[in-house]
Amino acid sequence: MEFVKGENRFFKEDENGKLIAEVTWVPSGDSLVILDHTFVDESLRGQGIASELVEKVADTMRAEGKKIVATCPFAKAEFERKPEKYDDIKA
């Protein structure tokens, strides 16, 4: 799925402009972000979209040389479930 990059977020809207998927983060200093929210519309759940969103943030922060503190329950669980994928980026 293709996501749009907004200010401190990646998101996807349907053809009517309704938000159907989103991940947000809050900058904290020069080298840290707080991943605080993940949302996927009920119609899309179970397709791995939330995981894609978290991965998109992680890839972006790696490229920017930043670390992530996950406070969103889904992102926090994703970091714990996949240490091989996220230990390098976890603050």
Coordinates of all heavy atoms in Angstrom, one line a residue:
M1 N 0.8 -1.2 0.0 CA 0.0 0.0 0.0 C 0.9 1.2 0.0 O 1.9 1.3 0.7 CB -0.9 0.0 1.2 CG -1.8 1.2 1.3 SD -3.0 1.1 2.7 CE -4.2 0.0 1.9
E2 N 0.5 2.2 -0.7 CA 1.2 3.5 -0.8 C 0.7 4.4 0.3 O -0.5 4.6 0.4 CB 1.1 4.1 -2.2 CG 1.8 3.4 -3.3 CD 3.3 3.4 -3.2 OE1 3.8 4.5 -2.9 OE2 3.9 2.3 -3.4
F3 N 1.6 5.1 1.0 CA 1.2 6.0 2.0 C 1.7 7.4 1.6 O 2.7 7.6 1.0 CB 1.8 5.6 3.4 CG 1.4 4.3 3.8 CD1 2.2 3.2 3.8 CD2 0.1 4.1 4.3 CE1 1.9 2.0 4.2 CE2 -0.3 2.8 4.7 CZ 0.6 1.7 4.7
V4 N 0.9 8.4 2.1 CA 1.3 9.8 1.9 C 2.1 10.3 3.1 O 1.7 9.9 4.3 CB 0.1 10.7 1.7 CG1 0.5 12.2 1.6 CG2 -0.8 10.3 0.5
K5 N 3.2 11.0 2.9 CA 4.0 11.5 4.0 C 3.5 12.9 4.3 O 3.4 13.8 3.5 CB 5.5 11.6 3.7 CG 6.3 12.0 4.9 CD 7.8 11.9 4.7 CE 8.6 12.1 5.9 NZ 8.3 13.2 6.8
G6 N 3.0 13.1 5.5 CA 2.6 14.4 6.0 C 3.6 14.9 7.0 O 4.6 14.4 7.2
E7 N 3.2 15.9 7.8 CA 4.0 16.4 8.8 C 4.0 15.5 10.0 O 2.9 15.4 10.7 CB 3.6 17.9 9.2 CG 4.6 18.4 10.2 CD 4.4 19.9 10.5 OE1 3.8 20.6 9.6 OE2 4.8 20.4 11.5
N8 N 5.1 14.8 10.3 CA 5.2 13.8 11.4 C 4.1 12.7 11.3 O 3.6 12.2 12.3 CB 5.1 14.6 12.7 CG 6.1 15.6 12.9 OD1 7.3 15.4 12.4 ND2 5.8 16.7 13.5
R9 N 3.8 12.3 10.1 CA 2.9 11.2 9.9 C 3.0 10.6 8.5 O 3.4 11.3 7.6 CB 1.5 11.6 10.2 CG 0.8 12.4 9.2 CD -0.6 12.8 9.6 NE -1.3 13.5 8.5 CZ -2.6 13.3 8.2 NH1 -3.3 12.4 8.9 NH2 -3.2 13.9 7.2
F10 N 2.5 9.4 8.4 CA 2.2 8.7 7.1 C 0.8 8.3 7.2 O 0.3 7.9 8.2 CB 3.1 7.4 6.9 CG 4.5 7.7 6.6 CD1 5.5 7.5 7.6 CD2 4.9 8.1 5.4 CE1 6.8 7.8 7.3 CE2 6.2 8.4 5.1 CZ 7.2 8.2 6.1
F11 N 0.1 8.5 6.1 CA -1.3 8.2 6.1 C -1.8 7.8 4.7 O -1.2 7.9 3.7 CB -2.1 9.4 6.6 CG -2.1 10.6 5.7 CD1 -3.1 10.8 4.8 CD2 -1.0 11.5 5.7 CE1 -3.1 11.9 4.0 CE2 -1.0 12.6 4.9 CZ -2.0 12.8 4.0
K12 N -3.1 7.2 4.7 CA -3.8 6.8 3.5 C -5.2 7.2 3.7 O -5.8 7.0 4.7 CB -3.6 5.3 3.3 CG -4.4 4.8 2.1 CD -3.6 5.0 0.9 CE -4.3 4.3 -0.3 NZ -3.8 4.7 -1.6
E13 N -5.8 7.8 2.6 CA -7.2 8.2 2.6 C -7.8 7.3 1.5 O -7.2 7.0 0.5 CB -7.4 9.7 2.3 CG -6.9 10.5 3.4 CD -7.0 12.0 3.1 OE1 -7.1 12.4 1.9 OE2 -6.9 12.8 4.1
D14 N -9.1 7.1 1.6 CA -9.8 6.4 0.6 C -10.2 7.4 -0.5 O -9.9 8.6 -0.4 CB -11.1 5.6 1.1 CG -12.2 6.5 1.6 OD1 -12.2 7.7 1.4 OD2 -13.1 5.9 2.2
E15 N -10.9 6.9 -1.5 CA -11.3 7.8 -2.7 C -12.2 8.9 -2.3 O -12.3 9.9 -3.1 CB -11.9 6.9 -3.8 CG -13.2 6.2 -3.5 CD -13.0 4.9 -2.7 OE1 -11.8 4.4 -2.6 OE2 -14.0 4.4 -2.2
N16 N -12.8 8.9 -1.2 CA -13.7 10.0 -0.7 C -13.0 10.9 0.3 O -13.6 11.8 0.8 CB -14.9 9.4 0.0 CG -15.7 8.5 -1.0 OD1 -15.9 8.9 -2.1 ND2 -16.2 7.4 -0.5
G17 N -11.7 10.7 0.5 CA -10.9 11.5 1.4 C -11.0 11.1 2.9 O -10.6 11.8 3.8
K18 N -11.6 10.0 3.2 CA -11.7 9.5 4.6 C -10.4 8.8 5.0 O -9.9 8.0 4.2 CB -12.9 8.4 4.6 CG -13.0 7.8 6.0 CD -14.1 6.7 6.0 CE -14.0 6.0 7.4 NZ -14.6 4.7 7.3
L19 N -9.9 9.2 6.1 CA -8.7 8.6 6.7 C -8.9 7.1 6.9 O -9.9 6.7 7.6 CB -8.3 9.3 8.0 CG -7.0 8.8 8.6 CD1 -5.8 9.2 7.7 CD2 -6.8 9.5 10.0
I20 N -8.1 6.2 6.3 CA -8.2 4.8 6.5 C -7.0 4.1 7.2 O -7.1 3.0 7.6 CB -8.6 4.1 5.2 CG1 -7.6 4.3 4.1 CG2 -10.0 4.5 4.8 CD1 -7.8 3.5 2.9
A21 N -5.9 4.9 7.2 CA -4.7 4.3 7.9 C -3.8 5.5 8.2 O -3.6 6.4 7.4 CB -4.0 3.3 7.0
E22 N -3.1 5.4 9.4 CA -2.3 6.5 9.8 C -1.3 6.1 10.9 O -1.6 5.2 11.7 CB -3.1 7.7 10.4 CG -2.3 8.8 10.9 CD -3.2 9.9 11.5 OE1 -4.1 9.6 12.3 OE2 -3.1 11.1 11.1
V23 N -0.1 6.6 10.9 CA 0.8 6.5 12.0 C 1.4 7.9 12.2 O 1.6 8.7 11.3 CB 2.0 5.5 11.6 CG1 2.8 5.9 10.5 CG2 2.8 5.2 12.9
T24 N 1.6 8.3 13.5 CA 2.1 9.6 13.8 C 3.2 9.5 14.8 O 3.3 8.5 15.6 CB 1.0 10.5 14.4 OG1 0.5 9.9 15.6 CG2 -0.2 10.7 13.5
W25 N 4.1 10.5 14.8 CA 5.2 10.6 15.7 C 5.4 12.1 16.1 O 5.0 13.0 15.4 CB 6.4 10.0 15.2 CG 7.0 10.7 14.0 CD1 7.9 11.7 13.9 CD2 6.7 10.4 12.6 NE1 8.2 12.1 12.7 CE2 7.4 11.3 11.8 CE3 5.9 9.5 12.0 CZ2 7.4 11.3 10.4 CZ3 5.8 9.5 10.6 CH2 6.6 10.4 9.8
V26 N 6.0 12.2 17.3 CA 6.3 13.6 17.8 C 7.8 13.7 17.9 O 8.4 12.9 18.6 CB 5.6 13.8 19.2 CG1 6.0 15.2 19.7 CG2 4.1 13.6 19.1
P27 N 8.4 14.7 17.3 CA 9.9 14.9 17.5 C 10.2 15.2 19.0 O 9.4 15.9 19.6 CB 10.2 16.1 16.6 CG 9.1 16.2 15.6 CD 7.9 15.7 16.4
S28 N 11.3 14.7 19.4 CA 11.8 15.0 20.8 C 13.3 15.2 20.7 O 14.1 14.3 20.8 CB 11.4 13.8 21.7 OG 11.9 14.1 23.0
G29 N 13.6 16.5 20.6 CA 15.1 16.8 20.4 C 15.5 16.5 19.0 O 14.7 16.3 18.1
D30 N 16.8 16.5 18.8 CA 17.4 16.4 17.4 C 17.5 14.9 17.0 O 17.6 14.7 15.8 CB 18.8 17.0 17.4 CG 18.7 18.5 17.5 OD1 17.7 19.1 17.2 OD2 19.7 19.1 17.9
S31 N 17.5 14.0 17.9 CA 17.8 12.6 17.5 C 16.8 11.6 18.0 O 17.1 10.4 18.0 CB 19.2 12.2 18.1 OG 19.2 12.3 19.5
L32 N 15.6 12.0 18.4 CA 14.6 11.1 19.0 C 13.2 11.5 18.5 O 12.9 12.7 18.3 CB 14.7 11.2 20.5 CG 14.0 10.2 21.3 CD1 14.7 8.8 21.1 CD2 14.0 10.6 22.8
V33 N 12.4 10.5 18.2 CA 11.0 10.7 18.0 C 10.2 9.8 18.9 O 10.6 8.7 19.2 CB 10.6 10.5 16.5 CG1 11.3 11.5 15.6 CG2 10.8 9.1 16.0
I34 N 9.0 10.2 19.2 CA 8.0 9.3 19.9 C 6.9 8.9 19.0 O 6.2 9.7 18.5 CB 7.4 10.1 21.1 CG1 8.6 10.6 22.0 CG2 6.4 9.3 21.9 CD1 8.2 11.6 23.0
L35 N 6.9 7.6 18.7 CA 5.9 7.0 17.9 C 4.6 6.8 18.7 O 4.6 5.9 19.6 CB 6.4 5.7 17.3 CG 5.6 5.2 16.0 CD1 6.5 4.1 15.3 CD2 4.3 4.7 16.3
D36 N 3.6 7.7 18.6 CA 2.6 7.7 19.5 C 1.2 7.2 19.1 O 0.3 7.1 19.9 CB 2.4 9.2 20.1 CG 2.0 10.2 19.0 OD1 2.1 9.8 17.8 OD2 1.6 11.3 19.4
H37 N 1.0 6.9 17.8 CA -0.3 6.6 17.3 C -0.3 5.8 16.0 O 0.4 6.1 15.1 CB -1.1 7.9 17.1 CG -2.5 7.7 16.5 ND1 -3.5 7.1 17.1 CD2 -2.9 8.0 15.3 CE1 -4.6 7.1 16.3 NE2 -4.2 7.6 15.2
T38 N -1.0 4.7 16.0 CA -1.2 3.9 14.8 C -2.7 3.6 14.7 O -3.4 3.2 15.6 CB -0.5 2.6 14.9 OG1 0.9 2.8 15.2 CG2 -0.6 1.8 13.5
F39 N -3.3 3.9 13.5 CA -4.7 3.7 13.2 C -4.9 3.0 11.9 O -4.2 3.3 10.9 CB -5.4 5.0 13.2 CG -6.8 4.9 12.5 CD1 -7.9 4.3 13.2 CD2 -7.0 5.3 11.2 CE1 -9.1 4.2 12.6 CE2 -8.2 5.2 10.6 CZ -9.3 4.6 11.3
V40 N -5.7 1.9 11.9 CA -6.1 1.3 10.6 C -7.6 1.1 10.7 O -8.1 0.5 11.7 CB -5.4 -0.1 10.4 CG1 -5.9 -0.8 9.2 CG2 -3.9 0.2 10.3
D41 N -8.3 1.5 9.6 CA -9.8 1.4 9.6 C -10.1 -0.1 9.7 O -9.4 -1.0 9.2 CB -10.3 1.9 8.2 CG -11.8 2.0 8.2 OD1 -12.4 2.9 8.8 OD2 -12.4 1.1 7.6
E42 N -11.3 -0.4 10.4 CA -11.7 -1.8 10.6 C -11.8 -2.6 9.3 O -11.5 -3.8 9.2 CB -13.1 -1.8 11.2 CG -13.1 -1.5 12.7 CD -14.5 -1.6 13.3 OE1 -15.3 -2.5 12.8 OE2 -14.7 -0.9 14.3
S43 N -12.1 -1.9 8.2 CA -12.2 -2.6 6.9 C -10.9 -3.1 6.3 O -10.9 -4.0 5.5 CB -12.9 -1.7 5.8 OG -12.0 -0.6 5.5
L44 N -9.8 -2.6 6.9 CA -8.5 -3.0 6.4 C -7.7 -3.9 7.5 O -6.6 -4.3 7.2 CB -7.7 -1.8 6.1 CG -8.2 -0.9 5.0 CD1 -7.4 0.4 4.9 CD2 -8.2 -1.6 3.7
R45 N -8.2 -4.1 8.6 CA -7.5 -4.8 9.7 C -7.2 -6.2 9.3 O -7.9 -6.8 8.5 CB -8.3 -4.7 11.0 CG -8.2 -3.3 11.5 CD -8.7 -3.1 12.9 NE -8.7 -1.7 13.2 CZ -9.5 -1.1 14.1 NH1 -10.3 -1.9 14.8 NH2 -9.5 0.2 14.3
G46 N -6.1 -6.7 9.8 CA -5.7 -8.1 9.5 C -4.9 -8.3 8.3 O -4.6 -9.4 7.9
Q47 N -4.6 -7.2 7.6 CA -3.8 -7.2 6.4 C -2.4 -6.8 6.5 O -1.7 -6.7 5.5 CB -4.5 -6.3 5.3 CG -5.9 -6.8 5.0 CD -6.6 -5.9 4.0 OE1 -6.0 -5.4 3.1 NE2 -7.9 -5.7 4.2
G48 N -1.9 -6.5 7.7 CA -0.5 -6.1 8.0 C -0.3 -4.7 7.7 O 0.9 -4.2 7.6
I49 N -1.3 -3.9 7.6 CA -1.1 -2.4 7.2 C -0.5 -1.7 8.4 O 0.4 -0.8 8.2 CB -2.4 -1.8 6.7 CG1 -2.8 -2.5 5.4 CG2 -2.3 -0.3 6.6 CD1 -4.2 -2.1 4.9
A50 N -0.9 -1.9 9.6 CA -0.3 -1.3 10.7 C 1.2 -1.6 10.8 O 2.0 -0.7 11.1 CB -1.0 -1.6 12.0
S51 N 1.6 -2.8 10.6 CA 3.0 -3.2 10.6 C 3.8 -2.4 9.5 O 4.9 -2.0 9.7 CB 3.1 -4.7 10.3 OG 2.6 -5.4 11.4
E52 N 3.1 -2.3 8.3 CA 3.8 -1.5 7.2 C 4.0 -0.1 7.7 O 5.1 0.5 7.3 CB 2.9 -1.5 6.0 CG 2.8 -2.8 5.2 CD 2.0 -2.6 3.9 OE1 2.2 -1.6 3.2 OE2 1.1 -3.5 3.7
L53 N 3.0 0.5 8.4 CA 3.2 1.9 8.8 C 4.3 2.0 9.8 O 5.1 3.0 9.7 CB 1.9 2.4 9.4 CG 0.7 2.7 8.5 CD1 -0.6 2.8 9.2 CD2 1.0 4.0 7.7
V54 N 4.4 1.1 10.8 CA 5.5 1.2 11.7 C 6.8 1.0 11.0 O 7.8 1.7 11.3 CB 5.3 0.1 12.8 CG1 6.5 0.0 13.7 CG2 4.1 0.4 13.7
E55 N 6.9 0.1 10.1 CA 8.1 -0.1 9.3 C 8.5 1.1 8.5 O 9.7 1.5 8.4 CB 8.0 -1.3 8.4 CG 9.3 -1.7 7.8 CD 9.2 -3.0 7.0 OE1 8.2 -3.8 7.2 OE2 10.1 -3.3 6.3
K56 N 7.6 1.8 8.0 CA 7.8 3.0 7.2 C 8.4 4.1 8.1 O 9.4 4.8 7.7 CB 6.5 3.5 6.6 CG 6.6 4.6 5.6 CD 6.7 4.0 4.3 CE 6.6 5.1 3.2 NZ 7.5 5.0 2.1
V57 N 7.9 4.3 9.3 CA 8.5 5.2 10.3 C 9.9 4.8 10.6 O 10.8 5.6 10.6 CB 7.6 5.4 11.5 CG1 8.3 6.3 12.6 CG2 6.3 5.9 11.2
A58 N 10.1 3.5 10.9 CA 11.4 3.0 11.3 C 12.5 3.3 10.2 O 13.6 3.8 10.4 CB 11.4 1.5 11.6
D59 N 12.1 3.0 8.9 CA 13.0 3.2 7.8 C 13.3 4.7 7.6 O 14.5 5.1 7.4 CB 12.4 2.7 6.5 CG 12.3 1.2 6.5 OD1 13.0 0.5 7.3 OD2 11.6 0.7 5.6
T60 N 12.3 5.5 7.8 CA 12.5 7.0 7.7 C 13.5 7.5 8.8 O 14.4 8.3 8.5 CB 11.2 7.7 7.8 OG1 10.3 7.3 6.7 CG2 11.3 9.2 7.7
M61 N 13.3 7.0 10.0 CA 14.1 7.5 11.1 C 15.5 7.0 11.0 O 16.5 7.6 11.3 CB 13.5 7.1 12.5 CG 12.2 7.8 12.7 SD 12.3 9.6 12.5 CE 10.8 9.9 11.6
R62 N 15.7 5.7 10.5 CA 17.0 5.2 10.2 C 17.8 6.2 9.3 O 18.9 6.5 9.5 CB 17.0 3.8 9.6 CG 16.9 2.7 10.6 CD 17.0 1.4 10.0 NE 16.5 0.4 10.9 CZ 15.3 -0.2 10.8 NH1 14.5 0.1 9.9 NH2 15.0 -1.1 11.7
A63 N 17.1 6.5 8.2 CA 17.7 7.4 7.2 C 18.0 8.8 7.7 O 19.0 9.4 7.3 CB 16.7 7.5 6.0
E64 N 17.3 9.2 8.7 CA 17.5 10.5 9.4 C 18.4 10.4 10.6 O 18.7 11.4 11.2 CB 16.2 11.2 9.8 CG 15.3 11.5 8.6 CD 14.0 12.2 9.0 OE1 13.8 12.5 10.2 OE2 13.1 12.3 8.1
G65 N 18.9 9.2 10.9 CA 19.8 9.0 12.1 C 19.1 9.2 13.4 O 19.8 9.7 14.4
K66 N 17.8 8.9 13.5 CA 17.1 9.1 14.7 C 16.7 7.8 15.4 O 16.6 6.8 14.7 CB 15.8 10.0 14.5 CG 16.2 11.4 14.0 CD 15.0 12.2 13.7 CE 15.4 13.6 13.3 NZ 14.3 14.4 12.9
K67 N 16.4 7.8 16.7 CA 15.9 6.7 17.4 C 14.4 6.9 17.7 O 13.9 8.0 17.7 CB 16.7 6.5 18.7 CG 18.2 6.2 18.5 CD 18.4 4.8 18.1 CE 19.9 4.5 18.0 NZ 20.1 3.1 17.7
I68 N 13.7 5.8 18.0 CA 12.3 5.8 18.3 C 12.0 5.3 19.7 O 12.5 4.3 20.1 CB 11.5 5.0 17.3 CG1 11.8 5.5 15.8 CG2 10.0 4.9 17.6 CD1 11.2 4.6 14.8
V69 N 11.1 6.1 20.4 CA 10.5 5.6 21.6 C 9.0 5.3 21.2 O 8.3 6.2 20.7 CB 10.5 6.7 22.7 CG1 9.7 6.2 23.9 CG2 11.9 7.0 23.1
A70 N 8.6 4.1 21.3 CA 7.3 3.7 20.9 C 6.4 3.7 22.1 O 6.5 3.0 23.1 CB 7.2 2.3 20.3
T71 N 5.4 4.7 22.1 CA 4.4 4.7 23.2 C 3.0 4.2 22.7 O 2.2 3.9 23.5 CB 4.2 6.2 23.7 OG1 3.8 7.0 22.7 CG2 5.5 6.7 24.3
C72 N 2.9 4.1 21.4 CA 1.6 3.5 20.9 C 1.7 2.0 21.2 O 2.7 1.3 21.0 CB 1.7 3.7 19.4 SG 0.6 2.6 18.4
P73 N 0.6 1.5 21.8 CA 0.6 0.1 22.2 C 0.9 -0.9 21.0 O 1.7 -1.9 21.2 CB -0.8 -0.2 22.7 CG -1.3 1.2 23.1 CD -0.6 2.2 22.2
F74 N 0.4 -0.6 19.8 CA 0.7 -1.5 18.7 C 2.2 -1.5 18.3 O 2.8 -2.5 18.1 CB -0.2 -1.2 17.4 CG 0.2 -2.1 16.3 CD1 -0.4 -3.3 16.2 CD2 1.1 -1.7 15.3 CE1 0.0 -4.2 15.1 CE2 1.5 -2.5 14.3 CZ 0.9 -3.7 14.2
A75 N 2.7 -0.2 18.2 CA 4.1 -0.1 17.8 C 5.0 -0.7 18.9 O 6.0 -1.4 18.5 CB 4.4 1.4 17.6
K76 N 4.7 -0.5 20.1 CA 5.5 -1.1 21.2 C 5.5 -2.6 21.1 O 6.6 -3.2 21.2 CB 4.8 -0.7 22.5 CG 5.7 -0.7 23.7 CD 4.9 -0.1 24.9 CE 5.8 0.2 26.0 NZ 5.2 0.9 27.1
A77 N 4.4 -3.2 20.8 CA 4.3 -4.7 20.7 C 5.1 -5.1 19.4 O 5.7 -6.2 19.5 CB 2.8 -5.1 20.6
E78 N 5.0 -4.4 18.4 CA 5.7 -4.7 17.1 C 7.2 -4.7 17.4 O 7.9 -5.5 16.9 CB 5.3 -3.6 16.1 CG 5.7 -4.0 14.7 CD 4.8 -5.0 14.0 OE1 3.9 -5.7 14.7 OE2 5.0 -5.3 12.8
F79 N 7.7 -3.7 18.1 CA 9.1 -3.6 18.5 C 9.5 -4.8 19.3 O 10.6 -5.4 19.1 CB 9.4 -2.3 19.2 CG 9.6 -1.1 18.4 CD1 9.0 -1.0 17.1 CD2 10.5 -0.1 18.8 CE1 9.2 0.1 16.4 CE2 10.7 1.0 18.0 CZ 10.0 1.2 16.8
E80 N 8.7 -5.3 20.2 CA 9.0 -6.4 21.0 C 8.9 -7.7 20.2 O 9.7 -8.6 20.5 CB 8.0 -6.5 22.2 CG 8.3 -5.4 23.2 CD 7.2 -5.3 24.3 OE1 6.4 -6.1 24.4 OE2 7.3 -4.3 25.0
R81 N 8.0 -7.9 19.3 CA 7.8 -9.1 18.5 C 8.9 -9.3 17.5 O 9.2 -10.4 17.1 CB 6.4 -9.0 17.8 CG 5.3 -9.5 18.5 CD 4.1 -9.7 17.6 NE 3.6 -8.5 16.9 CZ 2.7 -7.7 17.3 NH1 2.1 -7.9 18.5 NH2 2.4 -6.6 16.6
K82 N 9.5 -8.2 17.0 CA 10.4 -8.2 15.9 C 11.7 -7.5 16.3 O 12.1 -6.5 15.6 CB 9.8 -7.6 14.7 CG 8.6 -8.3 14.2 CD 7.9 -7.6 13.1 CE 6.6 -8.3 12.7 NZ 5.9 -7.5 11.7
P83 N 12.4 -8.0 17.3 CA 13.7 -7.3 17.7 C 14.7 -7.3 16.6 O 15.5 -6.3 16.5 CB 14.2 -8.1 18.9 CG 13.5 -9.5 18.8 CD 12.2 -9.2 18.1
E84 N 14.8 -8.3 15.8 CA 15.7 -8.3 14.7 C 15.5 -7.1 13.7 O 16.4 -6.7 13.0 CB 15.7 -9.6 13.9 CG 14.5 -9.9 13.1 CD 13.2 -10.2 13.8 OE1 13.2 -10.5 15.0 OE2 12.1 -10.3 13.2
K85 N 14.3 -6.7 13.6 CA 13.9 -5.6 12.7 C 14.1 -4.2 13.4 O 14.3 -3.2 12.7 CB 12.5 -5.8 12.3 CG 12.1 -5.1 11.0 CD 10.7 -5.6 10.6 CE 10.6 -5.8 9.2 NZ 9.3 -6.2 8.7
Y86 N 13.9 -4.1 14.7 CA 13.8 -2.8 15.3 C 14.8 -2.5 16.4 O 14.8 -1.3 16.9 CB 12.3 -2.6 15.8 CG 11.3 -2.6 14.7 CD1 10.4 -3.7 14.6 CD2 11.3 -1.7 13.7 CE1 9.4 -3.7 13.6 CE2 10.4 -1.7 12.7 CZ 9.5 -2.7 12.6 OH 8.6 -2.7 11.6
D87 N 15.5 -3.4 16.9 CA 16.4 -3.1 18.0 C 17.4 -2.0 17.7 O 17.8 -1.3 18.6 CB 17.2 -4.4 18.5 CG 16.4 -5.2 19.5 OD1 15.3 -4.8 19.9 OD2 16.9 -6.2 20.0
D88 N 17.8 -1.9 16.5 CA 18.8 -0.9 16.1 C 18.2 0.5 16.2 O 19.0 1.5 16.3 CB 19.4 -1.1 14.7 CG 18.3 -0.9 13.6 OD1 17.2 -1.5 13.8 OD2 18.6 -0.3 12.6
I89 N 16.9 0.7 16.1 CA 16.3 2.0 16.0 C 15.6 2.4 17.3 O 15.2 3.5 17.5 CB 15.3 2.0 14.8 CG1 14.8 3.4 14.4 CG2 14.0 1.1 15.1 CD1 15.8 4.1 13.6
K90 N 15.4 1.4 18.2 CA 14.7 1.6 19.5 C 15.6 2.4 20.4 O 16.8 2.1 20.6 CB 14.4 0.2 20.0 CG 13.3 0.2 21.1 CD 12.8 -1.2 21.3 CE 13.8 -2.0 22.1 NZ 13.2 -3.3 22.5
A91 N 15.0 3.4 21.0 CA 15.7 4.3 22.0 C 15.7 3.6 23.3 O 14.8 2.8 23.6 CB 15.1 5.6 22.0

